[in-house]
Amino acid sequence: MSTSSPAPPLPRPAAKRLVYKVFTKRFSLSLKVDSSQYLEDQLYRHGFNRDNAEEWLNSVAETWIQLHSNRPLVELEPLKDTLKSLDLKNSTKRAVAAPSTISSQVADVEDEKRDLEAIGEFKPLDYFHVIDAYDVPTQWYDTKTHQFGNPFEGFDILSGAEAKTALLRQRYDVIKQRILHNDNFAPSTFRSKNRDDSQALKLDTIESLQGREGDNFLLFGMLAQLEEGKVYLEDKDGSVELDLSQVVTDSSATGVFTEACFALVDGYYQDGVFHVEELGLPPPERKEKTLSFYPDVNFFGGPTVLHEKASSTLKHLETANDTVSIVILSEVWLDKPNVVSALKMLFAGYASAIPPMAFIFLGDFCSVPFVSGSGQTQRYKELWSDFADLIAQYRDIANNSQFVFLPGPNDPWGVGAYPSPPIANFFTQKMQSKIKHVRFTTNPCRIQYCTQEITVFREDLLKKLHRNCMVPAASGQQSTSMVKHMVRTIIDQGHLCPLPAHIQPLYWAYDHAMRLYPIPDVVMRFLAVYIVTETTGGKL
């Protein structure tokens, strides 16, 4: 006697339609955007399928009407209270029905087997997602609630002054809360014989220096040049001039200190100047630890897997299909015959083997910088048309591989602030008509494949960091060591471009899209000379 397998988890588009069907059509309730998104996330995170998702949404809507009969508009915070009430109502049933530990583990294994069977044929592109910088969730840290949230809605790329005011404060708050999670700073929750909490480090504010000359302090803040030739440290309370003459550069230390970067400063205060004895970058935080503090926050964007069951299933698919590959190329000059010949050779080779899941191309796509109004528009458009014809010759690749294109600094409208917008449709219409899976995205962008989170950025940051270095790096370093310094800097700063606005402008409202928090599994930076791939896996 055969038994049918349970339905697979509900896809996000279907979840969105179902939420609208139940709340709006059936119960005549209006949902705010964040409330609808929250319900969709709940369905996805807890692995609801078509058989039980509608039943659960009916229960939520009914409970809402019972608790808020005079409120037809469903807002986020009252909705969360409604879900808590619903969970409390069902807690007794769950407790009675809860299986033993061993049987629960067996059930989880059986569930995973059924999930894999329900998926059927594995199609890699179903699990490959490109996330534009402008679609990254706006998660801003609130120092009052100690949680991340979205305080603004509908930000335009040219945002108001409130975004500029909050930008550096947000970087400060995000890094500070990360520091306080560190075991060297935060006191332990339970007493331990192996640890003396009195030895935990304590951060002082610049305001607390007043009247305490000669004392030692550990400060956290942003390095700045408020006066020519002088270095200052700023926090949310004030600023103080730094004397860096006593700082000794450790040859084993990595990282670069530039203006607008955040640092830990240890030393003493004397005559209105803070004399620095030790200078360090903020300690990084493992991805797993970050997510343990904020398990329900989608930092990365896209269909992030939050529940353990779905993550386990995707991890199994990821490791079982080890022939899946991604090809990444940078500085693909389409106006150079030798480059086009090399691309033909590349495609021909893959056409006779297993085509990659995706090709990721990063600019510049022309050896000559694009100048608006210079007559290059038609020529640039023709380059993309010719490239589309070239790819279309290899039908297997054109139909089955995903093509992703990020602009370089010399591509149309690539010069200026980050995140850079995609190359305009005007130039790429033929490419999009001839290639089945093509995506022109922002620089930087994020890519999610199964459980892997990848950040891709095309920018020659190495020269800019060392050109604006405030503290001399250790001498005798090779260029490869300099790359390590750059990688350590962006990881510890939790930001792809930790430079002041006059060196590298950013769109204020999208600074969060430049963050590296939590640390993604892979960070790929493409420089003029180096291709730097930092595989972190959330580790350091």
Side-chain angles (χ1 to χ4, degrees):
M1 181 176 178
S2 62
T3 59
S4 60
S5 300
L10 196 67
R12 280 185 179 271
K16 185 174 184 178
R17 291 192 297 269
L18 188 58
V19 169
Y20 175 79
K21 172 186 172 183
V22 171
F23 274 77
T24 303
K25 288 193 171 183
R26 185 171 301 165
F27 290 93
S28 299
L29 295 170
S30 298
L31 282 158
K32 295 193 74 173
V33 174
D34 54 356
S35 299
S36 178
Q37 181 66 51
Y38 183 76
L39 288 172
E40 294 163 28
D41 289 341
Q42 293 294 313
L43 291 173
Y44 193 76
R45 180 165 66 250
H46 296 293
F48 283 92
N49 55 43
R50 295 182 185 277
D51 298 333
N52 54 26
E54 188 168 355
E55 179 182 351
W56 180 78
L57 288 173
N58 283 331
S59 299
V60 175
E62 289 168 356
T63 305
W64 174 272
I65 292 173
Q66 292 172 7
L67 298 176
H68 312 283
S69 57
N70 60 342
R71 298 178 68 173
L73 180 63
V74 181
E75 297 177 319
L76 182 57
E77 292 307 319
L79 176 61
K80 290 180 178 179
D81 293 337
T82 301
L83 293 184
K84 289 178 183 177
S85 176
L86 184 62
D87 287 342
L88 184 61
K89 187 189 302 182
N90 295 330
S91 60
T92 304
K93 296 179 182 178
R94 288 199 304 267
V96 172
S100 65
T101 304
I102 295 178
S103 61
S104 177
Q105 292 174 351
V106 173
D108 288 344
V109 173
E110 293 300 321
D111 285 347
E112 183 173 329
K113 288 181 180 178
R114 285 195 293 268
D115 289 342
L116 292 172
E117 291 172 359
I119 290 172
E121 181 186 359
F122 176 69
K123 298 179 180 179
L125 288 186
D126 291 343
Y127 303 90
F128 183 87
H129 306 280
V130 179
I131 305 157
D132 285 354
Y134 305 136
D135 294 330
V136 173
T138 311
Q139 301 294 354
W140 286 39
Y141 185 72
D142 188 333
T143 54
K144 295 180 180 178
T145 63
H146 303 290
Q147 293 295 325
F148 282 87
N150 184 355
F152 308 111
E153 291 186 9
F155 254 150
D156 293 324
I157 195 168
L158 297 177
S159 54
E162 59 180 354
K164 180 182 180 182
T165 304
L167 185 154
L168 292 176
R169 288 178 175 269
Q170 266 299 297
R171 286 197 207 173
Y172 175 91
D173 289 336
V174 170
I175 297 177
K176 185 175 181 180
Q177 61 85 31
R178 192 187 80 196
I179 293 172
L180 295 178
H181 290 166
N182 189 282
D183 291 339
N184 292 319
F185 290 85
S188 59
T189 305
F190 303 101
R191 294 189 178 277
S192 171
K193 294 180 180 179
N194 299 324
R195 172 171 174 168
D196 181 5
D197 284 347
S198 64
Q199 299 301 312
L201 299 173
K202 178 180 178 296
L203 290 180
D204 298 292
T205 63
I206 292 175
E207 187 179 44
S208 68
L209 301 179
Q210 302 303 319
R212 300 173 64 185
E213 295 203 357
D215 290 351
N216 279 77
F217 299 91
L218 177 60
L219 305 177
F220 168 69
M222 184 185 76
L223 298 179
Q225 280 191 314
L226 303 183
E227 297 180 38
E228 184 67 30
K230 294 184 179 181
V231 179
Y232 285 78
L233 187 75
E234 288 187 288
D235 65 12
K236 295 171 79 173
D237 295 319
S239 61
V240 63
E241 183 184 345
L242 300 181
D243 172 19
L244 299 174
S245 61
Q246 300 179 50
V247 176
V248 178
T249 303
D250 184 355
S251 60
S252 64
T254 54
V256 181
F257 297 93
T258 66
E259 186 179 357
C261 88
F262 290 85
L264 289 166
V265 179
D266 186 44
Y268 61 93
Y269 184 62
Q270 190 75 43
D271 298 328
V273 176
F274 193 83
H275 300 270
V276 182
E277 295 175 326
E278 290 188 58
L279 182 67
L281 293 172
E285 182 174 87
R286 290 167 59 99
K287 179 181 178 181
E288 294 83 0
K289 187 171 184 178
T290 302
L291 296 181
S292 71
F293 283 103
Y294 312 108
D296 296 330
V297 179
N298 182 357
F299 290 98
F300 196 76
T304 299
V305 176
L306 298 176
H307 63 287
E308 186 176 351
K309 178 182 172 183
S311 180
S312 175
T313 303
L314 291 180
K315 188 66 177 176
H316 180 86
L317 290 171
E318 187 180 307
T319 54
N321 295 275
D322 55 1
T323 59
V324 173
S325 62
I326 299 175
V327 176
I328 305 168
L329 302 97
S330 183
E331 299 291 304
V332 182
W333 291 348
L334 300 176
D335 60 330
K336 293 293 184 181
N338 60 329
V339 172
V340 175
S341 297
L343 288 172
K344 288 181 181 178
M345 188 182 303
L346 176 74
F347 292 140
Y350 277 113
S352 60
I354 300 176
M357 174 180 65
F359 289 90
I360 301 176
F361 291 86
L362 297 97
D364 301 323
F365 292 102
C366 186
S367 61
V368 179
F370 182 90
V371 180
S372 181
S374 63
Q376 295 175 281
T377 301
Q378 187 59 35
R379 174 57 178 154
Y380 193 81
K381 186 177 181 180
E382 290 172 355
L383 291 177
W384 283 106
S385 297
D386 294 343
F387 192 28
D389 292 336
L390 170 61
I391 298 174
Q393 295 175 23
Y394 306 93
R395 299 311 307 168
D396 195 22
I397 292 175
N399 290 330
N400 298 308
S401 295
Q402 172 78 55
F403 285 80
V404 181
F405 297 93
L406 281 74
N410 292 319
D411 289 312
W413 305 291
V415 178
Y418 286 120
S420 300
I423 296 173
N425 291 337
F426 171 79
F427 297 105
T428 62
Q429 288 174 346
K430 189 171 182 180
M431 176 72 74
Q432 300 192 52
S433 65
K434 286 207 166 190
I435 312 302
K436 186 175 182 180
H437 307 285
V438 63
R439 179 73 175 272
F440 286 85
T441 186
T442 57
N443 181 31
C445 76
R446 299 180 179 189
I447 294 173
Q448 190 178 65
Y449 169 64
C450 289
T451 64
Q452 297 294 310
E453 295 180 343
I454 304 167
T455 297
V456 185
F457 188 32
R458 166 64 176 90
E459 164 61 18
D460 193 357
L461 186 66
L462 190 63
K463 293 179 181 177
K464 292 182 180 179
L465 279 177
H466 288 279
R467 191 182 301 130
N468 295 278
C469 184
M470 285 183 157
V471 179
S475 59
Q477 295 176 346
Q478 301 298 319
S479 57
T480 52
S481 297
M482 292 300 181
V483 172
K484 290 181 180 179
H485 276 259
M486 181 198 68
V487 171
R488 174 54 59 184
T489 302
I490 64 172
I491 293 295
D492 290 357
Q493 293 295 312
H495 200 276
L496 284 168
C497 195
L499 289 166
H502 67 275
I503 300 297
Q504 179 54 66
L506 299 175
Y507 291 116
W508 304 330
Y510 293 97
D511 182 70
H512 64 278
M514 306 292 290
R515 287 185 197 157
L516 293 175
Y517 184 81
I519 301 171
D521 297 290
V522 179
V523 179
M524 291 188 289
R525 301 188 61 95
F526 292 80
L527 316 175
V529 180
Y530 301 98
I531 298 179
V532 182
T533 302
E534 180 75 355
T535 305
T536 66
K539 303 175 179 63
L540 302 164

